[in-house]
Amino acid sequence: MFSFKALKHLDWTLLAVVLALAVIGVFFIHSASYQLRLATGVRFSHRQAVWLGLGLILYFLLAAVDYRKLIYFAYPLLGLAVIMLALIIVAGEARLGARRWLQVWGLNVQPSEIAKLFLVMALARYLSERFPERWRWSYSLVACLIALVPAALILRQPDLGTALVFVPIALGMIFLAGARLKHLIVLLLILLILLPVFWFTLRDYQRTRLLVFANPDLDPLGAGYTVIQSKIAIGSGGLHGKGWLGGTQNMLSFLPERQTDFIFSVVAEEWGFLGSAALLGLFSVLICRLFVIAHRCRDLGGRLLAAGGMILISTHVIVNVGMAMGLLPATGLPLPFISYGGTVTVAMFSVMGLCQSVYAHRYWHLY
Amino acid sequence: MKPTRFDLRLNLVFFLIAAMGAVLMGSLWYMQIVRGEEYQRLATTNRIRLIRLSAPRGIIYDRHGEILADNRPGFDVVVNLPEVEDRRRLVEKLGEILDLPAARIESRLDTFRERPFEPVTVASDIGILKATILEEMNPELGGVQVVVNPVRNYPAGSGLAHLLGYVGQISPRELERLVEDGYRAQDDIGKIGVEAVYDRELRGTAGGEQVQVTARGFRDRLLSRRPARAGNNLHLTIDLRAQTILEELMDGYTGSAVAVDPVRGDIMAMVSNPSFDPNLMVRPVDDRYVSELFASPGSPMLNRALAGEYPPGSIFKPVVALAALEFSGITPSRTYDCGGIFSLGSVSFRCWREGGHGRIDLSEALKRSCNVYFYRLGLETGVDGIEAASRRLGLGQRIGIELGGERPGLVPGREWKRSAIGEGWYPGDTVNLSIGQGFITVTPIQAAWLAAVIAREGTPARFRLVSAVSSPEGKRLEEFDPVPATAAGFSRPAWAELRKSLLRAVAEPGGTAHGISDPAISIAGKTGTAQVAGPPGKGTHSWFVGMAPADDPEVVVAVILEHAGRGSEHAAPLAGRFLAGYLVP
């Protein structure tokens, strides 16, 4: 099933950019978790380096397999993710608060991150297989339902931020697959109508969480405080920054969640505008490469895979950076390749592996 | 080539993304370059701190709502280093008031050198007297604060120490494992016992305060506050009244005693002696107490009820009796002659009664605990039958109490001996096994289980310790119902014969436990006097397993007193006094 000959046709720019981002991530996780390490002794950057390695292995394995074979497994894989998400709700019922982790062989796995990856694959398969029926209602509707099941389960955790990522991915891919615009607009309206219905199925403490999302001032110790401190961190970075390990907002522990959701603030504080703009530049190159891969591919499944990957990465970058700058509500989305986290890192590398496979196997239909 | 619809739509999506990226880049420019200096000023004068408020642990109750573990206010001494003017004088003064060597205070102050703004806890739980003195001297000693924090308190003291366990500051290794579950340095965590097993229920959720501080780090103004949420409460099956009676009776003995309600499987009391004071483990003022405990020859840290593996002696005879009735077609009317001595080849085994018991049947042999009868019965049944019956009665395996540290005991057999010792099984081994000597060991909780199985004729409820979990407001979150155990099997007549014989052992003159017969309650039970391998001069272990009221037992009890002498003279009277004290108001 693996054909390493395909690796000769790799998009090396894509690989180089992803690697550069991930290495920058390890360095800034070291900086951001410096105080936490002194307090707990846990070396977060070492752990992240292990996941980087693991992600890289998966990246090459996936790139070596024809993506047409990979999408073939999309449905059972998404089913597996849905089962894991359901398990979390069952296992987490006894405890208060949100529960997003599942213990698998002693490792904490975050199924919602895995679900994003499998959703892109499942939609690519469904939308390309049923392409001849694209003018039908059922085409868009079923695709939406495929996304809705995991999204609803994630919303129950509750993790509104991650659930909302499913919306641009699903709608974007349905749009790109050639569905009728009328259908898309109606689906969007239905989604808006469904939101209040869902509200009443939530528990009290879950509603409080969502209210805080809408209005951070309700929770000045959590989200509100974080946003203020994050803006100070970014702004005070200035042009050149305070130097790696030199950020006062970071080192004096003013910033909560700084090795995960707010790591961009650490980069901006310590590397300044030059460094953080360069980081956004790297993400731009990455997104451009995915755009080119989607363009060059001549088969709908591959196009949708690459375009889905592009939407997934850009949504994360835009929401995460926007939230660090206080432009968007703090919802807790990681910055791909930079934020600390095992599942998310491995999942993002896998998405890139899929896109790389699309690129590497682009000539095969000629043979 | 004309662009396809896919290409057109892809371009549209891409331009949308690019537009949002441009907005981000613009904002970044605006924040860092245009307003950079303003933000830099904010950063250097940042005066907002988050202070973690630790959550009170959930309370542990007994079955009637008596408190077994709660929290009391403890006074901690906290130093804010940026406020300290004269560090040497501060250390000197603190040492004087707190009665601590200066070097120790210095080393505490240096713990968080990397975080100069963090307040440092120099001493914890100093007592109200010293706290008052410090509060009065505070203006003189800049930078010192007395903070009230909840401290775990065990009103019952050493009695339930093994069962409840205790909490202590989280260790670096524990922290590494648990940091992603929200544990932080200086948090308390359950170390052993119920406190450890149910830590996640009990610990609660820490809160926080957002505080504005002065330029020197002094607390200026409270901006907002999220109170800590207390942990959930646990309701144990322990009955504090039963526990107290049993503790008082066990005082002075080394050993263990367990009392259980066999119908619901509720563990009512559990004693392991010697013990320790868990209150001294929570905030060890004196490290010597802890190190002496761990080094003590009496192993006070060992929970003997679960981890003490003892030869059962004659309390094993009911197991042999059940094996004989079940596997070898022997009836209760089978008689053997006891002449006080039994010879097997060239080796002779003695009965405990010189001159013997004469010709007796099974019930009489159990009542009088005749060794020779059981030597012969055991040989006729065979080791395989005895081994099978033992396992069906729960010996040689953990009962499964949710406490950790439970030992399985040992049921020997042919296969075990071949692999563990490398020898075949000899008839002499069967003779020893028949009176609960030789290789076999049981734990006190297994002995209590054996009593419960007999009391319920093979179908007791599984032993348990926690009956419910409730929220800090007192709302029941979870209720655990008794769970029936897998039936042990054996025939009804066999159970009836056994229970009748154990009742006769107490009720009839000549029974080994007749000394504890009490007109107010009917007790059934079996004594045991277990010989111990090891240094000569050490006395036998004194055992008793029993139940009351005999016709429909509400309580079963197992008692072992190490090296105390005969079962009939020590363990049985103790158990009798407990049953009478608990059941007869």
Side-chain angles (χ1 to χ4, degrees):
Chain A
M1 156 162 189
F2 298 101
S3 84
F4 293 95
K5 253 194 290 182
L7 294 181
K8 276 191 280 187
H9 305 290
L10 280 191
D11 180 347
W12 294 103
T13 320
L14 181 72
L15 178 59
V17 171
V18 167
L19 258 183
L21 284 169
V23 170
I24 292 173
V26 173
F27 273 88
F28 275 96
I29 284 163
H30 176 76
S31 175
S33 64
Y34 196 81
Q35 298 297 351
L36 197 57
R37 202 196 102 197
L38 290 177
T40 65
V42 183
R43 292 167 184 277
F44 291 89
S45 52
H46 291 204
R47 289 189 182 181
Q48 180 75 8
V50 171
W51 292 322
L52 194 167
L54 204 68
L56 213 55
I57 293 171
L58 261 174
Y59 175 91
F60 281 114
L61 285 179
L62 289 174
V65 186
D66 189 341
Y67 61 93
R68 282 157 280 227
K69 286 180 190 155
L70 287 173
I71 334 186
Y72 187 75
F73 296 104
Y75 296 162
L77 286 174
L78 187 66
L80 189 76
V82 166
I83 290 171
M84 287 168 86
L85 286 168
L87 270 180
I88 281 194
I89 289 174
V90 176
E93 203 64 62
R95 301 187 198 288
L96 297 169
R99 191 162 168 83
R100 298 168 184 178
W101 306 90
L102 204 62
Q103 285 261 331
V104 182
W105 298 303
L107 285 170
N108 280 324
V109 174
Q110 217 176 345
S112 52
E113 299 296 341
I114 300 175
K116 291 174 193 166
L117 161 70
F118 294 157
L119 175 74
V120 172
M121 291 169 67
L123 284 179
R125 174 173 171 188
Y126 176 81
L127 292 169
S128 58
E129 272 180 5
R130 298 295 175 91
F131 180 72
E133 301 162 24
R134 70 185 183 285
W135 45 270
R136 283 199 187 170
W137 269 104
S138 61
Y139 185 63
S140 314
L141 209 61
V142 173
C144 252
L145 284 178
I146 291 175
L148 196 67
V149 174
L153 287 170
I154 292 169
L155 204 49
R156 284 288 288 185
Q157 290 181 2
D159 183 354
L160 188 67
T162 307
L164 282 183
V165 174
F166 283 53
V167 176
I169 295 175
L171 292 183
M173 287 178 75
I174 296 170
F175 172 70
L176 290 173
R180 297 178 68 174
L181 288 178
K182 189 176 83 183
H183 296 173
L184 273 168
I185 291 163
V186 172
L187 278 175
L188 205 63
L189 287 176
I190 292 175
L191 202 70
L192 289 175
I193 294 165
L194 271 180
L195 273 181
V197 177
F198 186 79
W199 177 259
F200 292 105
T201 69
L202 291 177
R203 291 160 177 241
D204 278 346
Y205 71 91
Q206 290 173 317
R207 283 183 203 170
T208 318
R209 271 165 192 278
L210 298 190
L211 280 176
V212 168
F213 152 72
N215 178 8
D217 288 339
L218 286 176
D219 184 21
L221 288 177
Y225 170 86
T226 311
V227 169
I228 296 166
Q229 297 297 350
S230 168
K231 285 172 82 170
I232 295 177
I234 295 174
S236 65
L239 182 65
H240 302 285
K242 303 170 188 173
W244 186 58
L245 298 179
T248 53
Q249 289 289 102
N250 172 25
M251 284 296 156
L252 298 181
S253 306
F254 283 114
L255 260 177
E257 313 274 342
R258 54 189 182 278
Q259 75 272 28
T260 52
D261 295 342
F262 282 88
I263 196 153
F264 181 78
S265 320
V266 179
V267 179
E269 184 184 16
E270 302 194 341
W271 272 6
F273 179 73
L274 294 179
S276 46
L279 186 77
L280 289 185
L282 278 176
F283 275 116
S284 308
V285 175
L286 176 63
I287 289 162
C288 284
R289 286 317 297 174
L290 297 176
F291 171 73
V292 169
I293 292 173
H295 246 303
R296 293 224 183 128
C297 180
R298 302 259 62 91
D299 135 303
L300 187 60
R303 285 172 157 184
L304 286 174
L305 260 188
M310 177 182 82
I311 298 172
L312 177 74
I313 298 283
S314 6
T315 310
H316 276 81
V317 174
I318 291 164
V319 172
N320 180 283
V321 175
M323 135 186 121
M325 293 200 286
L327 300 174
L328 293 170
T331 49
L333 268 193
L335 188 59
F337 308 109
I338 310 286
S339 285
Y340 172 79
T343 321
V344 61
T345 304
V346 171
M348 290 300 172
F349 267 102
S350 306
V351 172
M352 290 303 100
L354 286 175
C355 297
Q356 191 64 269
S357 163
V358 173
Y359 188 80
H361 295 85
R362 65 195 181 281
Y363 301 119
W364 278 31
H365 64 285
L366 301 175
Y367 299 150
Chain B
M1 193 172 95
K2 197 168 157 268
T4 62
R5 179 169 43 209
F6 175 82
D7 289 328
L8 284 173
R9 290 191 173 188
L10 185 64
N11 288 342
L12 190 70
V13 171
F14 182 74
F15 281 124
L16 210 64
I17 293 170
M20 288 192 268
V23 171
L24 288 184
M25 207 60 120
S27 320
L28 199 59
W29 168 269
Y30 177 72
M31 282 175 79
Q32 298 197 291
I33 307 296
V34 181
R35 292 184 58 191
E37 273 175 41
E38 193 182 322
Y39 277 116
Q40 273 162 32
R41 206 169 49 247
L42 278 177
T44 47
T45 57
N46 206 332
R47 299 264 189 276
I48 300 169
R49 299 279 145 74
L50 274 187
I51 292 166
R52 191 174 157 92
L53 298 174
S54 50
R57 259 177 112 71
I59 296 167
I60 305 178
Y61 296 102
D62 90 334
R63 62 165 64 181
H64 298 302
E66 299 286 336
I67 290 173
L68 302 178
D70 61 0
N71 309 293
R72 62 178 169 78
F75 300 98
D76 297 348
V77 185
V78 174
V79 173
N80 294 307
L81 277 175
E83 275 179 68
V84 176
E85 271 166 21
D86 184 347
R87 180 165 163 157
R88 256 196 50 210
R89 212 178 84 79
L90 173 87
V91 171
E92 201 175 285
K93 269 280 172 205
L94 277 181
E96 207 174 285
I97 297 166
L98 300 173
D99 197 19
L100 283 174
R104 198 169 149 155
I105 297 174
E106 284 284 1
S107 78
R108 288 295 301 169
L109 287 180
D110 284 342
T111 338
F112 295 104
R113 211 182 335 205
E114 299 86 355
R115 277 184 292 178
F117 295 107
E118 287 275 293
V120 183
T121 305
V122 175
S124 44
D125 200 15
I126 55 170
I128 190 147
L129 195 69
K130 289 174 182 172
T132 320
I133 298 174
L134 268 179
E135 275 293 331
E136 279 170 6
M137 293 193 59
N138 199 20
E140 203 182 322
L141 286 172
V144 178
Q145 239 182 312
V146 176
V147 178
V148 185
N149 273 320
V151 176
R152 200 57 160 170
N153 181 43
Y154 304 98
S158 63
L160 282 160
H162 299 99
L163 189 139
L164 294 176
Y166 57 88
V167 299
Q169 215 164 71
I170 193 165
S171 71
R173 274 188 57 193
E174 287 167 327
L175 193 56
E176 167 138 17
R177 196 159 43 84
L178 297 168
V179 65
E180 272 158 24
D181 296 332
Y183 287 81
R184 288 292 174 268
Q186 306 200 9
D187 273 1
D188 271 342
I189 186 171
K191 295 290 184 179
I192 58 169
V194 170
E195 293 273 29
V197 175
Y198 289 92
D199 194 67
R200 275 155 206 263
E201 289 290 353
L202 290 166
R203 64 189 292 252
T205 317
E209 276 182 345
Q210 192 180 328
V211 177
Q212 188 167 317
V213 294
T214 62
R216 295 185 47 208
F218 191 73
R219 186 184 171 120
D220 193 20
R221 191 155 76 91
L222 178 67
L223 295 177
S224 65
R225 176 190 172 89
R226 181 169 52 202
R229 184 173 163 77
N232 291 333
N233 303 323
L234 284 187
H235 301 263
L236 302 191
T237 59
I238 292 291
D239 184 329
L240 190 58
R241 190 170 71 89
Q243 175 73 24
T244 312
I245 298 171
L246 201 53
E247 267 170 38
E248 279 168 10
L249 291 167
M250 288 289 290
D251 189 35
Y253 285 110
T254 296
S256 176
V258 180
V260 185
D261 167 359
V263 183
R264 299 173 59 83
D266 290 353
I267 295 178
M268 297 159 57
M270 184 187 274
V271 178
S272 173
N273 273 349
S275 187
F276 58 93
D277 186 351
N279 291 304
L280 297 179
M281 311 292 279
V282 177
R283 292 271 182 283
V285 184
D286 190 352
D287 293 338
R288 266 176 312 181
Y289 179 73
V290 180
S291 48
E292 268 171 29
L293 264 186
F294 279 95
S296 168
S299 315
M301 298 298 291
L302 179 75
N303 186 0
R304 289 172 154 76
L306 301 183
E309 296 173 300
Y310 301 98
S314 298
I315 64 163
F316 188 65
K317 283 174 182 162
V319 180
V320 180
L322 280 174
L325 296 173
E326 176 82 1
F327 296 117
S328 45
I330 293 168
T331 62
S333 57
R334 167 67 63 99
T335 59
Y336 292 107
D337 192 33
C338 166
I341 203 153
F342 172 73
S343 300
L344 185 74
S346 59
V347 192
S348 39
F349 296 86
R350 312 185 70 82
C351 189
W352 61 271
R353 185 175 182 200
E354 261 178 78
H357 292 96
R359 182 160 282 279
I360 50 175
D361 65 5
L362 177 65
S363 181
E364 197 69 16
L366 278 167
K367 168 188 154 188
R368 295 177 184 271
S369 199
C370 174
N371 286 355
V372 171
Y373 185 96
F374 275 92
Y375 295 149
R376 292 175 184 269
L377 188 70
L379 277 176
E380 199 168 329
T381 307
V383 57
D384 300 330
I386 298 174
E387 189 189 354
S390 304
R391 296 212 180 275
R392 264 158 65 172
L393 292 161
L395 304 182
Q397 59 218 303
R398 292 178 181 85
I399 301 287
I401 303 294
E402 24 346 29
L403 268 184
E406 191 187 346
R407 300 282 308 157
L410 175 68
V411 172
R414 293 178 200 279
E415 218 157 281
W416 169 82
K417 198 182 173 195
R418 198 171 303 123
S419 62
I421 301 187
E423 271 182 17
W425 186 267
Y426 300 123
D429 294 330
T430 309
V431 172
N432 270 328
L433 180 61
S434 303
I435 59 159
Q437 296 284 162
F439 305 111
I440 186 163
T441 59
V442 304
T443 62
I445 194 84
Q446 285 174 331
W449 177 254
L450 181 62
V453 178
I454 296 170
R456 300 291 299 163
E457 303 200 338
T459 52
R462 296 189 56 159
F463 283 6
R464 65 189 191 138
L465 208 49
V466 179
S467 60
V469 178
S470 66
S471 74
E473 295 79 26
K475 204 180 115 199
R476 292 275 159 142
L477 297 174
E478 272 178 284
E479 300 253 14
F480 304 106
D481 291 325
V483 181
T486 335
F490 303 109
S491 68
R492 275 197 64 89
W495 289 118
E497 184 68 20
L498 198 56
R499 289 181 56 193
K500 181 188 81 186
S501 308
L502 298 193
L503 176 62
R504 289 179 66 204
V506 178
E508 290 182 6
T512 52
H514 184 56
I516 68 168
S517 72
D518 183 332
I521 50 167
S522 61
I523 303 174
K526 184 75 200 76
T527 56
T529 304
Q531 288 170 2
V532 198
K538 282 269 190 186
T540 51
H541 291 331
S542 179
W543 269 108
F544 184 76
V545 294
M547 58 203 74
D551 51 342
D552 187 15
E554 293 166 23
V555 185
V556 301
V557 63
V559 177
I560 178 163
L561 307 172
E562 290 180 17
H563 310 297
R566 309 195 66 86
S568 55
E569 286 163 14
H570 298 275
L574 193 154
R577 277 198 287 277
F578 166 73
L579 291 171
Y582 179 70
L583 289 172
V584 185

